């Protein structure tokens, strides 16, 4: 099938050198009818009243009806006290004309509840106990408002500004459809009256047009809104994905932050436009407390943020009464969604770690990736053929640069038919994969969720015959333009479709695939080149639901089905690796994300840090940016600096656009090759630490890459920092991201802390801004005093080649605390660590001049041939001797060297197995 002339023209523009987002392709709030309507509402005029006589309290929840006094429509409020210091608030219509969408498959279970107890009630409201720490929930009747308090402190308030708005489902006045029966008609007459501020012919309520696209709305207006007030809070974070600073900005005078998964062509920086993914989770932080708000809604959503002083608001009058008059800072947040219900989880912390655990208990933790996925990935659009792949692979060996994965973009397929290979360019894919496997390397191929409409294409025929495509409003298969030309879009919301899709990754279905081949899901917002805002029409149908109701879930479902396919093909043994561009809350359970189609510019390098930090705060630790920039061509300096930065970000992949010159690491002269080689080798040496951090992220939900305030929550100097970050708690990284940079100023946090430069071993005190002169080879990285970090010094061609190599332990001493660290080892690729407890987890401790290794997991079983090759102790004093003691009672004197100028003690060849107990005593 040939592409239509319009698609050819569109692609010509898409692939041309005019690389800049056309903002006119994407809506502003004023162009989104529901956002404009909701934003027009004025605060302080809430029509909602709690009908206290309807209150019912059970062991699991409180229910209470609310009434809109303007139109008499009733809502049902449900309040839950959840285990782990969380509160859930649900609001729906009491009697909707038809069910409203509630998000499935995101929560990992039905969150366990704890009893609420009624403390007092009068005509003005009720007071409920939330149990621990003198926490109260106050329900005020008129106007309806919720306040969560701890002692005399108001932690958070809902509807304090009166911006709760719930557009009820109604029957269109100009239709001839009658309600079923007179009684139903009487119930709906009042509800069908225009709401406050509406007119019967309000633009966009039943139909709206954007550019050439008309969105028909058979259900009419259905948007929802709720405001939250956070007294004492000046810093809020999260709600990715946006190319913006870590600390969210106020939106007064501009557009709200938008959450609506879109294929945005070369996105702009520092604005609230929607990008590829949407996670409706916001964290607030102050020196006193960290909290989170999880707005579980998958429709198009806008988030307004404003700063205020609590004493100047109506809400502030209550604060003055409770806390005493003050000029308390306050952040007000308002969520607006196009459809669905209000379902919000309030995570009350109080620490950052608590909030991460609370969110993980709701949506799950980061998938534990194969160790090789944490190594370096080489990609471009596109490697031309099998010979090109072999040449690039050989180039890495010739230039002594390690890598683990080489990637193939859309051109490797037979005419953009996914699950196939171009028969001329890739005639023997298994030979190619076997060649990589022989070097213990792997491949990723792209499998996008738009399917070429072609009667000779097996995948298309099966999806069509099974009725698995998304439907248009008239019931036919929804079709749009994407890379193959005319394409269908599988309905991944259908579990039968997901199961079928997963089955297509079986080795006997995906011809040419092997166990060292993994998957990349791109364009899964979904991208529809000729659709409104380059995506699917909102009135497209997924079963009984419109795309408008669940749009932001599509990418999560694609990655979910793909990851399941990779697990199934191995009989449930092997961990998958799947990269996705679109995502939602819960996507962390299925793999990695990247920041999309960035540009080879210094500002894009800088923005990669806050973008990944924001994702880590809301569960997605496995994040990275295209090293070098996808669009345009980087200068050699920018390319080197990007490798140096990417080497210390969780997902480390170079990628480039089809029209850019080749940029393999050895194409920029021997000096730059050496600089890139060193950055990549630093990544490989640190893989034991990276793997350990991901193990903890998988078990506890703690982010791998984290802002400084997570570990130093009372240090206000850290609250807005996003040009440096921590890996775990023990490594601080301040990449050089300025063109021509000759120095950076790193903030070393922690009064009484010490930090060691990992390259020079120079010791620096905490709680200071440290100016660091830099050269083109510098990557400023510091290890926290009081920590022990494992590395592998023998860097080989791939991480798998280093599997059994020995460890070097870097012990950084501190006057403030004993030094501690961990060592985690498993087979690196299967689920045996979980299913069969096959792993090693050791506690490393240095105290009273003794370094010891003890078992943290007595019930686990795993044997490693790896051993401890060297121990480097920073901030040490010179001993007279060093003795290794093992459980069998043997004692061996160790050779050592001591650098008095740097206070560095090096113990050579302890020779003890990494999986057993041992102690080194210094005398």
């Amino acid at each position: 099938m040939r592409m239509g002339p319009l698609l050819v023209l569109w692609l010509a523009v898409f692939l041309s050198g005019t690389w800049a987002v056309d903002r006119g392709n994407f809506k502003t709030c004023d162009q989104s009818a529901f956002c404009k309507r909701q934003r027009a509402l004025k605060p302080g005029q809430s029509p909602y009243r709690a009908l206290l006589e309807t209150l019912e309290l059970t062991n699991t929840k409180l229910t209470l009806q609310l009434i809109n006094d303007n139109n008499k429509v009733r809502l049902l409020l449900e309040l839950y006290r959840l285990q782990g210091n969380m509160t859930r608030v649900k609001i729906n219509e009491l009697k909707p004309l038809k069910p409203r969408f509630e998000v499935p498959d995101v929560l990992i279970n039905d969150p366990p509840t704890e009893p609420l107890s009624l403390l007092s009630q009068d005509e003005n409201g009720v007071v409920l106990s939330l149990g621990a720490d003198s926490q109260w929930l106050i329900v005020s009747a008129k106007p309806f408002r919720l306040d969560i308090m701890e002692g005399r402190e108001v932690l958070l308030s809902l509807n304090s500004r009166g911006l709760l708005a719930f557009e009820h489902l109604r029957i269109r006045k100009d239709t001839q459809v009658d309600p079923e029966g007179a009684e139903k008609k009487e119930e709906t007459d009042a509800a069908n009256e225009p709401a406050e501020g509406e007119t019967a012919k309000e633009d966009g309520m039943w139909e709206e047009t954007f550019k050439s696209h008309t969105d028909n709305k058979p259900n009419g207006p259905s948007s929802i809104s709720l405001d939250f007030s956070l007294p004492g809070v000046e810093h809020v974070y999260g709600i990715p994905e946006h190319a913006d600073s870590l600390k969210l900005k106020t939106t007064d005078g501009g557009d709200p932050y938008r959450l609506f998964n879109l294929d945005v062509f070369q996105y702009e920086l520092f604005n609230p436009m929607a990008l590829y993914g949407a996670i409706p989770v916001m964290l607030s932080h102050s020196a006193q407390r960290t909290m989170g708000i999880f707005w579980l809604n998958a429709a198009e959503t806008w988030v307004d943020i404003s700063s205020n002083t609590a004493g100047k608001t109506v809400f502030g009058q209550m604060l003055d009464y409770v806390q005493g008059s003050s000029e308390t800072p306050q952040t007000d947040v308002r969520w607006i969604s196009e459809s669905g219900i209000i379902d919000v989880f309030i995570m009350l912390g109080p620490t950052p770690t608590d909030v991460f655990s609370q969110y993980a208990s709701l949506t799950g933790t980061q998938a534990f990736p194969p160790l090789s996925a944490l190594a370096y990935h080489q990609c471009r659009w596109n490697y031309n053929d099998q010979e090109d792949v072999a040449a690039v692979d050989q180039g890495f060996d010739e230039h002594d640069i390690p890598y683990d994965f080489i990637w193939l973009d859309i051109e490797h397929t037979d005419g953009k038919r996914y699950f196939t290979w171009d028969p001329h360019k890739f005639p023997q894919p298994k030979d190619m994969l076997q060649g990589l496997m022989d070097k213990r390397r792997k491949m990723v191929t792209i499998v996008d969720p738009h399917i070429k409409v072609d009667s000779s294409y097996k995948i298309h025929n099966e999806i069509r015959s099974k009725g698995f495509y998304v439907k248009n409003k008239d019931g036919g298969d929804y079709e749009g333009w994407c890379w193959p030309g005319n394409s269908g879009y599988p309905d991944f919301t259908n579990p039968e479709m997901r199961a079928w899709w997963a089955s297509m990754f079986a080795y006997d279905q995906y011809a040419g695939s092997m166990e060292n081949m993994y998957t990349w899901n791109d364009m899964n917002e979904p991208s529809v080149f000729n659709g409104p805002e380059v995506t699917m029409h909102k009135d497209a149908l997924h079963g009984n639901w419109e795309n408008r109701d669940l749009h932001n879930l599509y990418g999560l479902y694609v990655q979910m089905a793909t990851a399941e396919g990779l697990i199934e093909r191995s009989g449930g043994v092997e961990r998958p690796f799947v990269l996705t561009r679109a995502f939602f809350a819960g996507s962390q359970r299925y793999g990695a994300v990247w920041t999309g189609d960035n540009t080879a510019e210094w500002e894009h390098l800088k923005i990669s840090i806050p973008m990944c930090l924001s994702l880590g705060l809301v569960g997605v630790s496995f994040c990275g940016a295209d090293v070098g920039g996808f669009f345009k061509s980087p200068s050699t300096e920018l390319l080197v600096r990007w490798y140096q930065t990417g080497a210390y970000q969780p997902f480390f992949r170079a990628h480039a656009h089809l029209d850019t010159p080749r940029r393999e690491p050895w194409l920029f002269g021997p000096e730059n090759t050496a600089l890139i080689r060193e950055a990549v080798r630093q990544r490989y040496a640190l893989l034991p630490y990276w793997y350990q951090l991901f193990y903890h992220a998988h078990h506890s939900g703690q982010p791998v890459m984290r802002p400084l305030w997570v570990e130093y929550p009372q240090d206000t100097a850290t609250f807005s920092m996003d040009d440096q970050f921590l890996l775990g708690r023990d490594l601080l990284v301040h990449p050089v991201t300025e063109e021509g940079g000759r120095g950076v100023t790193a903030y070393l946090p922690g009064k009484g802390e010490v930090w060691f430069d990992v390259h020079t071993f120079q010791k620096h005190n905490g709680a200071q801004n440290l100016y660091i002169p830099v050269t083109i080879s510098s990557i400023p990285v510091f290890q926290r005093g009081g920590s022990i970090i494992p590395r592998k010094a023998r860097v080989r061609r791939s991480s798998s080649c280093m599997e059994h190599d020995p460890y070097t332990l870097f012990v950084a001493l501190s006057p403030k605390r004993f030094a501690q660290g961990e060592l985690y080892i498993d087979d690196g690729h299967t689920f045996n660590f979980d299913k069969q407890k096959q792993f090693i987890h050791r506690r490393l401790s240095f105290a009273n001049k003794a370094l010891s290794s003890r078992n943290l997991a007595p019930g686990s079983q795993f044997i490693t041939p790896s051993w401890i090759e060297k121990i480097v102790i920073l901030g040490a004093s010179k001993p007279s001797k060093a003795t290794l003691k093992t459980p069998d009672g043997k004692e061996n004197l160790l050779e050592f060297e001591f650098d008095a100028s740097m206070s560095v003690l090096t113990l050579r060849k302890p020779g003890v197995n990494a999986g057993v107990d041992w102690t080194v005593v210094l005398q």
Side-chain angles (χ1 to χ4, degrees):
M1 179 180 293
R2 299 189 61 181
M3 295 184 186
L6 283 176
L7 179 57
V8 173
L9 176 62
W10 193 95
L11 290 176
V13 173
F14 190 90
L15 299 175
S16 73
T18 307
W19 282 327
V21 65
D22 181 355
R23 296 188 69 170
N25 283 332
F26 305 101
K27 290 181 180 180
T28 63
C29 180
D30 274 351
Q31 294 169 317
S32 180
F34 80 91
C35 183
K36 184 178 181 180
R37 284 198 307 274
Q38 290 278 9
R39 229 182 179 198
L41 297 179
K42 304 301 181 188
Q45 301 175 13
S46 178
Y48 291 96
R49 173 167 52 93
L51 300 175
L52 297 179
E53 66 275 14
T54 66
L55 185 148
E56 294 183 12
L57 185 62
T58 69
N59 283 335
T60 59
K61 66 180 177 179
L62 175 146
T63 59
L64 180 66
Q65 291 180 29
L66 311 178
I67 189 167
N68 182 329
D69 282 330
N70 290 340
N71 58 22
K72 308 308 178 187
V73 173
R74 293 194 179 197
L75 306 178
L76 180 65
L77 167 73
E78 298 175 76
L79 289 176
Y80 302 81
R81 175 188 166 201
L82 302 182
Q83 289 181 14
N85 203 22
M86 294 179 286
T87 299
R88 185 180 191 179
V89 179
K90 293 181 72 173
I91 303 176
N92 197 354
E93 292 184 56
L94 180 64
K95 295 181 178 180
L97 288 180
K98 58 188 295 187
R100 297 179 68 114
F101 185 73
E102 299 188 37
V103 176
D105 301 316
V106 168
L107 301 178
I108 56 175
N109 53 39
D110 193 14
T113 61
E114 295 182 342
L116 287 161
S117 56
L118 185 64
L119 298 181
S120 65
Q121 178 176 358
D122 60 21
E123 68 276 8
N124 296 314
V126 297
V127 179
L128 301 155
S129 171
L130 290 175
D133 299 324
S134 303
Q135 288 182 352
W136 328 104
L137 193 154
I138 301 173
V139 182
S140 301
K142 185 175 182 180
F144 164 70
R145 187 179 72 215
L146 291 178
D147 297 295
I148 296 177
M149 302 183 64
E150 187 171 279
R152 292 172 59 86
E153 178 188 3
V154 179
L155 302 180
L156 175 142
S157 177
L158 286 70
N159 201 38
S160 64
R161 300 172 67 215
L163 293 173
L164 167 64
F166 208 104
E167 291 185 330
H168 56 277
L169 300 180
R170 65 200 76 182
I171 296 170
R172 191 168 182 171
K173 283 293 191 179
D174 56 1
T175 65
Q176 299 302 311
V177 179
D178 292 325
E180 296 178 5
E183 182 179 346
K184 181 72 174 177
K185 183 176 187 304
E186 290 175 7
E187 290 179 4
T188 58
D189 275 346
N192 290 331
E193 293 301 313
E196 184 75 15
E198 297 174 3
T199 64
K201 296 183 178 180
E202 175 92 28
D203 286 344
M205 289 177 62
W206 295 91
E207 178 180 288
E208 69 178 293
T209 299
F210 178 68
K211 302 188 77 168
S212 62
H213 300 281
T214 297
D215 176 17
N216 294 292
K217 304 179 182 181
N219 296 319
S222 59
S223 68
I224 56 175
S225 168
L226 183 60
D227 65 277
F228 300 77
S229 294
L230 299 159
V233 169
E234 296 180 271
H235 296 81
V236 289
Y237 312 90
I239 57 170
E241 183 176 36
H242 301 97
D244 208 346
S245 56
L246 175 64
K247 178 192 173 185
L248 297 171
K249 300 181 176 72
T250 60
T251 58
D252 299 331
D255 259 11
Y257 284 96
R258 191 183 188 199
L259 295 171
F260 189 60
N261 293 0
L262 292 172
D263 180 0
V264 181
F265 181 77
Q266 195 188 340
Y267 50 83
E268 291 183 5
L269 307 185
F270 303 110
N271 71 53
M273 289 177 66
L275 288 179
Y276 312 98
I279 301 182
V281 178
M282 179 182 290
L283 272 65
S284 69
H285 179 70
S286 69
Q288 288 72 44
R289 194 178 199 97
T290 309
M291 296 189 295
I293 299 171
F294 174 25
W295 178 266
L296 183 52
N297 190 294
E300 179 185 347
T301 296
W302 299 78
V303 185
D304 256 325
I305 301 169
S306 58
S307 293
N308 217 317
T309 300
K312 296 178 181 177
T313 64
V314 173
F315 175 54
Q317 295 172 10
M318 187 185 75
L319 277 178
D320 289 348
Y321 173 75
V322 174
Q323 300 175 180
S325 181
S326 67
E327 293 291 295
T328 305
Q330 176 173 305
T331 296
D332 296 320
V333 180
R334 183 186 184 194
W335 301 75
I336 304 168
S337 293
E338 185 173 12
S339 64
I341 70 165
I342 292 172
D343 190 1
V344 60
F345 296 82
I346 300 163
M347 299 170 284
L348 294 172
T351 69
T353 296
D354 291 330
V355 174
F356 302 142
S357 298
Q358 288 157 357
Y359 181 63
S361 74
L362 298 173
T363 67
T365 60
Q366 175 66 57
F368 192 26
L371 189 150
S372 57
L374 301 178
Y376 175 62
H377 301 251
Q378 181 67 33
C379 185
R380 78 171 277 112
W381 178 23
N382 203 87
Y383 287 117
N384 300 323
D385 49 34
Q386 286 184 214
E387 292 72 23
D388 196 9
V389 169
V392 171
D393 176 73
Q394 186 62 30
F396 276 90
D397 290 338
E398 291 174 355
H399 295 89
D400 195 24
I401 302 172
Y403 89 97
D404 271 63
F405 284 82
I406 190 165
W407 292 52
L408 295 180
D409 210 320
I410 55 177
E411 309 303 330
H412 84 277
T413 62
D414 181 7
K416 313 298 190 298
R417 298 170 181 86
Y418 304 107
F419 299 99
T420 71
W421 304 84
D422 185 305
H424 305 293
K425 296 178 179 179
F426 296 92
Q428 301 294 333
K430 285 194 174 182
D431 290 349
M432 173 179 62
L433 287 163
Q434 186 62 52
L436 294 171
M437 187 178 290
D438 290 344
K439 294 183 178 182
R440 305 189 73 177
R441 288 174 174 153
K442 302 171 177 64
M443 174 172 278
V444 170
T445 58
I446 198 166
V447 179
D448 287 348
H450 48 261
I451 303 301
K452 185 178 180 68
V453 176
D454 177 358
S455 60
S456 66
Y457 179 24
K458 168 191 162 185
I459 297 290
H460 163 70
N461 289 338
E462 289 204 32
I463 295 174
R464 174 162 284 180
S465 68
K466 294 175 184 296
F468 284 164
Y469 277 126
V470 175
K471 307 301 180 186
N472 59 37
K473 63 180 180 179
D474 300 316
D477 287 347
Y478 177 88
E479 294 180 0
W481 289 345
C482 210
W483 296 125
N486 196 36
S487 303
Y489 291 80
D491 184 2
F492 284 89
T493 69
N494 181 347
E496 294 181 10
M497 166 60 212
R498 295 198 300 273
W500 176 86
W501 180 266
S503 73
M504 290 298 101
F505 289 91
Y507 297 123
D508 61 354
Q509 294 290 332
Y510 192 162
S513 65
M514 290 174 57
E515 57 267 31
N516 65 330
M517 196 178 91
Y518 298 81
T519 307
W520 173 17
N521 294 147
D522 196 3
M523 316 296 285
N524 54 337
E525 293 76 26
S527 179
V528 183
F529 291 163
N530 61 334
E533 300 192 271
V534 200
T535 194
M536 189 172 284
H537 292 71
K538 287 185 174 180
D539 55 8
L541 295 173
H542 304 257
N544 295 324
W545 300 106
E546 289 187 294
N547 182 265
R548 112 178 48 254
D549 299 313
L550 49 79
H551 175 88
N552 289 342
L553 285 174
Y554 192 84
L556 174 142
Y557 278 132
V558 175
Q559 190 186 22
M560 176 193 293
T562 302
E564 186 56 37
L566 296 190
I567 294 170
E568 286 179 3
R569 73 179 186 180
S570 72
V573 173
E574 298 290 330
R575 285 177 249 164
F577 170 69
V578 182
L579 179 72
T580 182
R581 190 169 72 175
F583 50 84
F584 189 68
S587 288
Q588 69 270 13
R589 305 196 299 264
Y590 305 109
V593 306
W594 91 107
T595 62
D597 297 341
N598 60 359
T599 303
E601 295 172 352
W602 287 93
E603 291 300 314
H604 276 261
L605 168 59
K606 294 174 188 175
I607 208 74
S608 70
I609 298 173
M611 289 183 77
C612 280
L613 286 173
S614 295
L615 280 160
L617 290 176
V618 296
V620 181
S621 273
F622 207 176
C623 168
D626 287 345
V627 170
F630 180 67
F631 291 112
K632 300 186 179 180
S633 298
S635 66
T636 53
E637 182 193 4
L638 176 57
L639 184 64
V640 167
R641 291 301 193 197
W642 215 315
Y643 268 98
Q644 293 170 343
T645 302
Y648 287 90
Q649 292 177 340
F651 177 54
F652 185 24
R653 181 186 75 154
H655 187 37
H657 188 279
L658 184 74
D659 285 348
T660 61
R662 295 289 283 258
R663 60 168 89 138
E664 284 72 45
W666 52 86
L667 298 178
F668 301 88
E671 291 184 1
N672 291 303
T673 300
L675 292 167
I676 293 171
R677 178 190 301 117
E678 174 57 23
V680 176
R681 287 175 66 88
Q682 287 186 31
R683 172 58 165 239
Y684 275 71
L686 201 56
L687 282 174
Y689 184 64
W690 280 106
Y691 198 50
Q692 171 187 310
L693 293 179
F694 270 88
Y695 177 76
H696 282 293
H698 175 65
H699 274 272
S700 67
Q702 306 304 305
V704 169
M705 177 182 176
R706 56 188 73 160
L708 272 64
W709 61 259
V710 168
E711 295 298 331
Y712 299 89
Q714 294 180 311
D715 187 345
T716 56
T718 67
F719 291 1
S720 297
M721 283 184 181
D722 58 13
D723 59 352
Q724 62 183 75
F725 53 90
L726 292 168
L727 296 177
R729 68 166 65 119
D730 294 333
L731 280 185
L732 185 151
V733 186
H734 192 309
V736 181
T737 58
E738 291 288 345
E739 184 175 13
R742 296 185 178 183
V744 299
T745 298
Y747 180 71
L748 303 181
K751 187 175 181 181
E753 296 272 21
V754 292
W755 295 86
F756 292 87
D757 185 312
V758 301
H759 309 297
T760 67
F761 303 147
Q762 179 73 44
K763 182 170 74 172
H764 304 279
N765 291 326
Q768 68 158 318
N769 288 298
L770 178 69
Y771 179 77
I772 308 156
V774 299
T775 66
I776 189 60
S777 65
S778 302
I779 314 176
V781 182
F782 300 86
Q783 181 174 343
R784 186 179 64 92
S787 66
I788 303 174
I789 290 180
R791 296 174 181 258
K792 287 192 173 183
R794 303 182 187 186
V795 175
R796 305 183 189 273
R797 64 165 49 137
S798 74
S799 66
S800 296
C801 294
M802 300 165 60
E803 179 181 4
H804 300 310
D805 281 350
Y807 292 88
T808 296
L809 305 180
F810 286 81
V811 182
L813 301 185
S814 167
K816 190 174 182 178
R817 67 177 69 84
F818 296 137
Q820 287 196 329
E822 296 175 21
L823 181 61
Y824 176 83
I825 307 170
D826 61 20
D827 64 23
H829 59 95
T830 74
F831 286 106
N832 290 348
F833 77 95
D834 186 41
K835 295 179 179 178
Q836 300 177 25
K837 305 304 177 188
Q838 293 185 5
F839 63 89
I840 291 167
H841 195 190
R842 312 289 304 176
R843 165 67 71 198
L844 305 172
S845 303
F846 186 94
N848 302 318
K849 296 187 178 182
L851 174 65
S852 63
S853 172
R854 296 291 179 265
N855 194 357
L856 278 174
S860 65
Q861 293 184 341
F862 190 71
I863 297 174
T864 178
S866 296
W867 48 286
I868 306 301
E869 179 176 43
K870 187 165 62 173
I871 298 168
V872 181
I873 304 177
L874 313 180
S877 54
K878 184 177 181 179
S880 59
K881 63 178 180 178
T883 306
L884 173 68
K885 298 181 179 181
T886 52
D888 57 9
K890 292 182 180 179
E891 296 188 4
N892 297 309
L893 291 177
L894 299 180
E895 297 178 8
F896 64 86
E897 297 174 1
F898 183 69
D899 181 344
S901 66
M902 300 301 294
S903 299
V904 176
L905 175 66
T906 303
L907 307 175
R908 299 196 176 280
K909 298 183 180 178
V912 65
N913 185 276
V916 303
D917 289 354
W918 54 264
T919 302
V920 172
V921 178
L922 304 178
Q923 293 175 305

